Amino acid sequence: VQLQASGGGLVQAGESLRLSCALSGRTARSYSMSWFRQAPGKHREFVATILRYSGVTYYGDFVKGRFTISRDDDKNMVYLQLNTLKPEDTAVYSCAAVMAESSRDIMQNPTIYNYWGQGTLVTVSS
């Protein structure tokens, strides 16, 4: 399984971006998919999960309705819509996949994921 994240860039505060993650090698519908981010000098942070089969979503506490995760299993794609971006959202955003589904507490743990994409940089200027 390979994951390829894209869609990052430089935007101003308040603007939006849509990140994409393409899964190849297997069918995406068998995987729960998540986004994590890592800012310079900080630990990796859970952003969002969309579970396989049910499509149930979980979000990090900081999201507060600004981000939306979605998936298109026919296209083997997962998306992360980022709205009302803030300078503190600046980070490398990475997608991850695991052939399982569980509670939010479990899904936000990066160690459960088998596959990771290379990340895409989001920079938000003030």
Side-chain angles (χ1 to χ4, degrees):
V1 173
Q2 291 187 323
L3 302 176
Q4 180 75 38
S6 61
L10 172 63
V11 296
Q12 293 188 330
E15 294 185 338
S16 299
L17 278 175
R18 190 176 82 153
L19 307 184
S20 299
C21 177
L23 186 150
S24 60
R26 291 283 182 90
T27 178
R29 68 182 73 251
S30 297
Y31 293 85
S32 294
M33 303 292 296
S34 294
W35 288 92
F36 290 80
R37 70 182 187 180
Q38 189 164 16
K42 294 189 176 182
H43 294 296
R44 183 179 287 167
E45 183 176 32
F46 169 72
V47 179
T49 287
I50 186 163
L51 298 183
R52 63 177 183 172
Y53 308 136
S54 68
V56 169
T57 58
Y58 304 128
Y59 294 93
D61 291 338
F62 71 91
V63 171
K64 299 187 186 305
R66 297 185 299 126
F67 300 170
T68 302
I69 189 171
S70 61
R71 63 191 299 157
D72 185 338
D73 288 336
D74 291 335
K75 296 182 178 179
N76 275 4
M77 296 291 295
V78 175
Y79 305 100
L80 185 66
Q81 179 68 39
L82 309 174
N83 296 330
T84 320
L85 282 163
K86 305 175 182 179
E88 52 264 43
D89 294 319
T90 294
V92 174
Y93 286 71
S94 300
C95 54
V98 61
M99 196 177 284
E101 66 278 352
S102 188
S103 66
R104 180 178 179 276
D105 284 348
I106 300 298
M107 300 307 296
Q108 68 180 352
N109 183 347
T111 65
I112 72 167
Y113 292 88
N114 307 109
Y115 306 102
W116 289 84
Q118 86 292 353
T120 185
L121 176 62
V122 173
T123 304
V124 185
S125 63
S126 57

